[in-house]
Amino acid sequence: MAYFVPLLSTFLFFSIYCSQSKALSSNYYAKTCPQAEDTVMKVVKEEAQKDRRVPATLLRMHFHDCFLRGCDASILLSSKGKNTAEKDAPPNGSLHGFYVIDGAKRAVEAICPGVVSCADILAFAARDAVVLSGGPYWNVPKGRKDGRISRASETTLLPKPTFNISQLQQSFHQRGLSLDDLVALLGAHTLGFTHCSSFMNRIYNFNATHDIDPTLRPSFAASLKGICPLKNRAKNAGISNDPSPTTFDNTHYRLILQKKSLLFSDHSLLTTPKTKSLVYKFATSKAAFHKAFSNSMIKMSSLTGGQEVRKDCRVVN
């Protein structure tokens, strides 16, 4: 399967379009829009109360944004003419919370027109999503700019659920993220829902020897087959990532240790001594997970690559 992206080509792409911590600061809007973060939090909180799926989708949206051209809100741009944008690519097909960012942008524009980027609003919203789900708070570095390019074809550079540990490590390393960051950030899978398509390869025709991935607990694999039959499967069939899919806890790591993780990429964390030890650490200490996740989110969200402050998050100025 052609899931491996050569290290050099991906590194060159990312280094050309992205940089770490370019002009970001904690007090970037202290004088120009001090109410920005509170305004975004209010909108995110209201929308999360209406739809409990909102926090998971906002967090995933931020990840998918940062992992391509840096955190430049390119994922928010709409397709136009012959160009298909990132948001309309298969890896982003299940994202459904763009209206939340639109609402937050309108609210911020009403008090500080032309000041706060869509990229910063998305970074605030992702943090707020975690906080509203019982997770940690962190001070988001500010001052990102919005990008002007969004191409569906580039989403092939996103980490895939079929990745093994070396592929994951390369993908994160190309973005300046360490193994520690990798294990901590995959803990975001504690929120949300996974469609059958992301793990079907583990429960049917896994390889020439095994129909089912032998690293899956057999009883768990059987239950997944019941939810995701080969034929006549419901269109949006899938399963919650863990028993508490709206709570930002460390259950995900315990499921990995119990051989009940949905994604092959998550299970791959058990295949090297360092990543396995971190899984154990986070499975036994929610506080340790929350601290590591906050630090890694600050690091990831400091990848920048934009040029402007959009008036409308869906279109370039």
Side-chain angles (χ1 to χ4, degrees):
M1 292 183 288
Y3 290 124
F4 176 69
V5 180
L7 175 63
L8 183 60
S9 63
T10 310
F11 178 77
L12 287 174
F13 170 88
F14 204 78
S15 61
I16 288 168
Y17 293 112
C18 311
S19 60
Q20 190 96 34
S21 303
K22 182 182 178 183
L24 300 186
S25 70
S26 59
N27 61 351
Y28 191 84
Y29 298 116
K31 294 182 178 179
T32 55
C33 195
Q35 319 97 304
E37 288 183 89
D38 288 343
T39 303
V40 173
M41 169 60 103
K42 183 173 184 290
V43 173
V44 173
K45 186 175 183 178
E46 288 172 355
E47 296 298 346
Q49 287 172 342
K50 295 176 196 171
D51 183 349
R52 298 181 74 190
R53 301 173 301 167
V54 160
T57 200
L58 292 178
L59 185 55
R60 186 161 171 252
M61 193 185 296
H62 184 47
F63 273 111
H64 283 206
D65 183 42
C66 295
F67 258 69
L68 295 185
R69 293 174 167 266
C71 312
D72 69 342
S74 55
I75 197 167
L76 304 178
L77 289 171
S78 296
S79 297
K80 184 178 180 181
K82 293 183 178 180
N83 180 63
T84 303
E86 292 169 30
K87 66 161 60 170
D88 294 320
N92 295 323
S94 60
L95 290 178
H96 54 83
F98 296 101
Y99 67 91
V100 180
I101 304 301
D102 290 336
K105 176 64 170 175
R106 284 194 298 270
V108 171
E109 285 293 301
I111 55 171
C112 313
V115 173
V116 183
S117 67
C118 298
D120 274 350
I121 288 172
L122 180 52
F124 298 156
R127 186 267 317 276
D128 297 342
V130 171
V131 172
L132 291 168
S133 302
Y137 176 93
W138 62 91
N139 193 354
V140 175
K142 305 158 188 74
R144 296 165 193 78
K145 293 294 186 282
D146 299 325
R148 296 180 57 84
I149 296 171
S150 182
R151 298 184 181 124
S153 59
E154 292 173 2
T155 61
T156 57
L157 299 175
L158 290 169
K160 295 177 174 59
T162 52
F163 271 11
N164 60 34
I165 193 64
S166 63
Q167 291 169 311
L168 284 172
Q169 185 175 0
Q170 287 183 1
S171 178
F172 278 66
H173 176 72
Q174 287 152 9
R175 292 151 178 89
L177 300 170
S178 67
L179 266 183
D180 296 69
D181 297 321
L182 162 62
V183 180
L185 291 173
L186 286 188
H189 290 162
T190 186
L191 294 181
F193 179 92
T194 297
H195 290 92
C196 295
S197 57
S198 293
F199 56 82
M200 288 288 281
N201 64 307
R202 299 188 74 195
I203 56 175
Y204 297 104
N205 304 311
F206 179 67
N207 60 27
T209 310
H210 300 95
D211 181 46
I212 297 171
D213 181 349
T215 64
L216 269 177
R217 186 171 290 237
S219 58
F220 183 58
S223 68
L224 294 180
K225 282 194 169 192
I227 295 165
C228 304
L230 266 179
K231 297 179 180 179
N232 302 317
R233 187 168 68 252
K235 182 182 177 183
N236 292 315
I239 185 172
S240 295
N241 289 351
D242 70 30
S244 53
T246 59
T247 303
F248 198 86
D249 55 25
N250 60 339
T251 305
H252 179 65
Y253 296 104
R254 294 202 291 271
L255 292 178
I256 292 174
L257 294 174
Q258 295 166 13
K259 298 185 177 181
K260 290 183 177 180
S261 57
L262 294 170
L263 306 180
F264 182 82
S265 54
D266 287 335
H267 175 79
S268 74
L269 297 181
L270 298 182
T271 59
T272 75
K274 177 165 186 178
T275 53
K276 186 175 183 179
S277 70
L278 286 168
V279 170
Y280 273 103
K281 178 181 178 180
F282 297 153
T284 53
S285 173
K286 185 170 74 171
F289 164 49
H290 281 184
K291 182 179 179 181
F293 185 83
S294 298
N295 291 336
S296 295
M297 282 295 288
I298 290 170
K299 194 171 170 183
M300 183 198 74
S301 73
S302 296
L303 297 167
T304 59
Q307 302 84 38
E308 64 183 21
V309 175
R310 281 181 221 142
K311 296 180 180 68
D312 178 337
C313 291
R314 293 178 182 250
V315 294
V316 298
N317 291 344

